[in-house]
Amino acid sequence: MGSVAVLPEKEVGQPIEGANGYLTVNLSALARNYAKLSTLVAPAQAAAVVKADAYGLGAQRVCSTLYESGCRHFFVAQFDEAVELRPALAADAKVFVLNGLQPGNEEACAQSDIIPVLNSLEQWRRWSATAKRRKCKLQAVLQFDTGMSRLGVPPEERSTLAAELAGQVSVEILFIMSHLASADEFDSDQNNDQLVEMKRISKEFPHLKICFANSGGIFLGKNYHGQVARTGIALYGGSPSIGKPNPMAPVVELDVAVVQTRTVPAGAKVGYSGAHVTNRDTRLATIAAGYADGLPRSLSGRGAVYYEGRRLPIVGRVSMDSITIDITALPEGTLSLGSLVEVVGTHQTLEDLARDAGTIAYEVLTGLGNRYHRQYR
Ligand SMILES: *Cc1c(COP(=O)(O)O)cnc(C)c1O
């Protein structure tokens, strides 16, 4: 594993050269979040969900930090993600593919020491046949559908699967898992319904470890922890439960550079379609990130950025590569070419931004893209 380089810090507001924006990932906050979640689930273990490039933050950096913090279970969604990640991790780390075993990947999966999450009887049979063909024991996780109707062995396949598992030695089942559909909603009945179903499954597939809770599930209580919990958004500083104070440390900061400022009179049209018309003399700044950088077009005329705590509203449409903001609230000359404004940070959380965009923190995080200069602290 490569060591984690510490790049020079750039302060918000300092003129900078080059980068359109800085995506700062606080790796020590990530490690603190991992430690906190580990303590919460102990004696269960906390696994890390690092799909979609660790929610857009850089899987290799994130994984090496988490490995150093003691994490040994890493979940990605797609097989190709696992192929990329596996060689970067030490041999005692396990890499799991949530989306299952795609036909054609069996040999590569076995060869690369990647562990599939088996989502059906058919996937189980192909994996077990692979083990027999290779004359070696392979590991797997069994995922069950407990009411989300998305992934996992469906109820009608369970008894056949249980019969086929009995006495077999070709595949070692590390644990059984399922995923909660409403874990971030503390008072949803669906949580308990799925828990009851998971307990039933665990009786049908006895003596196997249970991997159940995601970030939200951890905060539903001990019943949901099983032996391994899969933590994603909470590691990255996102809020695990809707409508409750966020107990996690923020991991991500996003600062974007000003690329032009101007003063316009009342009646000036701003941006595409002239969707905003000024009603007074207005100072504007255009910043160098748009919907191609994961700042959704739905922030048009709704969202804001911050400068030293001052809210600077987005005016007009979000463009592909830029956004125009109203900076009249700041003393003249405060912002100039290259100044940085806060998009995510002390004054605006991921959740704030997501709410203004009409989406969730997960979508904002994973959409941020790679045109920002990334710095890891
Ligand atoms: C994405 C995902 C997770 C992580 O969920 P968070 O809410 O981000 O903690 C866990 N399990 C499965 C199956 C997932 O798809």
Side-chain angles (χ1 to χ4, degrees), residues 5 23 25 87 119 143 179 200 219 222 251 263 305 329 346 372:
L23 182 63
V25 180
N119 285 323
Q143 175 164 226
H179 190 49
R200 187 176 302 135
F219 291 85
K222 277 280 164 214
V251 171
T263 304
V305 302
T346 333
Y372 304 110

Side-chain angles (χ1 to χ4, degrees), residues 34-50:
Y34 181 76
K36 178 169 203 155
L37 295 165
S38 294
T39 306
L40 271 170
V41 301
Q45 283 178 301
V49 180
V50 294

Side-chain angles (χ1 to χ4, degrees), residues 150-287:
R150 187 179 73 166
L151 287 168
V153 176
E156 65 273 17
E157 292 185 353
R158 288 206 313 245
S159 59
T160 312
L161 179 60
E164 293 189 15
L165 280 170
Q168 68 84 28
V169 292
S170 51
V171 175
E172 180 191 358
I173 306 297
L174 295 177
F175 40 80
I176 57 173
M177 67 165 268
S178 189
H179 190 49
L180 290 159
S182 305
D184 54 355
E185 296 169 49
F186 210 73
D187 49 8
S188 168
D189 291 340
Q190 199 178 7
N191 295 322
N192 191 56
D193 292 349
Q194 288 192 261
L195 179 63
V196 167
E197 184 69 357
M198 193 60 183
K199 284 186 171 154
R200 187 176 302 135
I201 293 167
S202 143
K203 286 199 181 103
E204 295 167 21
F205 296 82
H207 316 303
L208 290 172
K209 289 181 179 174
I210 295 175
C211 176
F212 192 36
N214 64 332
S215 298
I218 289 173
F219 291 85
L220 294 175
K222 277 280 164 214
N223 275 345
Y224 289 82
H225 293 177
Q227 282 74 43
V228 183
R230 303 181 306 278
T231 63
I233 195 76
L235 283 176
Y236 311 117
S239 182
S241 317
I242 296 168
K244 301 208 157 198
N246 184 358
M248 310 315 298
V251 171
V252 184
E253 257 175 63
L254 179 61
D255 301 302
V256 174
V258 170
V259 286
Q260 185 146 42
T261 57
R262 56 163 35 80
T263 304
V264 296
K269 295 189 173 83
V270 181
Y272 281 117
S273 302
H276 179 81
V277 180
T278 55
N279 59 7
R280 50 166 162 69
D281 280 1
T282 304
R283 275 200 306 284
L284 298 171
T286 298
I287 63 170

Side-chain angles (χ1 to χ4, degrees), residues 14 27 34 78 107 125 128 136 138 156 158 162 165 167 183 205 214-215 222 232 246 248 267 312 332 336 340 356 371:
Q14 260 181 17
L27 294 173
Y34 181 76
Q78 321 281 25
E107 284 301 321
R125 285 176 179 159
S128 132
C136 69
L138 293 174
E156 65 273 17
R158 288 206 313 245
L165 280 170
F205 296 82
N214 64 332
S215 298
K222 277 280 164 214
N246 184 358
M248 310 315 298
L312 307 173
E332 198 164 350
S336 58
L340 290 174
D356 284 344
R371 290 206 294 182

